[in-house]
Amino acid sequence: MNIHARAVIVNFFAFQLLWAAAVVGASQGAGLLAWGVLAVMVMAQVALTRQWRQDLLLMASGGILCVLMEPLWLLPDVLQYRHWEPHWWAPHWVWALWLGFAVSFRYSLNWLCGRPVLAALLGAVGGVFSVTMGIRLGAATAPQGWLLLAMVYGISWAIAVPLLAQVATMTKQETEHA
């Protein structure tokens, strides 16, 4: 098994653990667990690939999207996070999710690169599924109802996922031309 295949496997399982640590941790008031999982995930990927610059660029892109998109859900009270006073910015454990999700486009979600329609569809369905599970596990609520949240979230993630896939494609091209 080559190094990149190992990094894909590590990323896939680490992101599943990150999501669980963030969401279940947040519902229990222990969202800091997510940062520990994210740190191990990124260190393992970098140890395997030695391509930390590309990972960092994707994580920065995830951070920018967090700043831009979370207020779309939080300010109009479409979404509220548990143990978090209503603000326009997301709680720290959500930031860890954004960063971990974004870097996954170099690894386990790389197959979405170059497939914007599929990325948008998966983003819409996966985003709604993820937030629904987060609500059911007690990490958040939908004060104005699930249907409004599902519509706003679906549209938002249908935009975010192709954007992250495009950033990953650009970082891959930079690596190949360097």
Side-chain angles (χ1 to χ4, degrees), residues 10-11 14-15 17-18 33-48:
V10 165
N11 174 267
F15 185 74
L17 185 59
L18 171 61
L33 288 170
W35 287 100
V37 174
L38 178 63
V40 170
M41 177 175 130
V42 171
M43 286 188 293
Q45 291 164 183
V46 170
L48 288 167

Side-chain angles (χ1 to χ4, degrees), residues 114-130:
R115 296 180 173 128
V117 173
L118 183 58
L121 181 60
L122 184 71
V125 172
V128 172
F129 179 77
S130 180

Side-chain angles (χ1 to χ4, degrees), residues 89-129:
W89 68 89
H92 63 86
W93 61 270
V94 172
W95 281 84
L97 279 174
W98 273 101
L99 301 180
F101 183 69
V103 79
S104 294
F105 283 85
R106 284 199 12 89
Y107 303 102
S108 62
L109 294 176
N110 187 262
W111 59 276
L112 288 172
C113 294
R115 296 180 173 128
V117 173
L118 183 58
L121 181 60
L122 184 71
V125 172
V128 172
F129 179 77

Side-chain angles (χ1 to χ4, degrees), residues 41-71:
M41 177 175 130
V42 171
M43 286 188 293
Q45 291 164 183
V46 170
L48 288 167
T49 66
R50 305 280 187 229
Q51 295 181 346
W52 62 270
R53 286 182 183 95
Q54 293 85 356
D55 288 0
L56 189 60
L57 180 59
L58 271 163
M59 290 172 65
S61 299
I64 291 168
L65 282 175
C66 183
V67 167
L68 294 174
M69 296 187 79
E70 289 290 331

Side-chain angles (χ1 to χ4, degrees), residues 16 19-29 82-83 93 129-141:
Q16 305 317 304
W19 190 91
V23 173
V24 175
S27 70
Q28 303 298 315
R82 188 170 184 194
H83 305 295
W93 61 270
F129 179 77
S130 180
V131 76
T132 301
M133 291 301 98
I135 289 169
R136 289 185 183 242
L137 290 170
T141 62

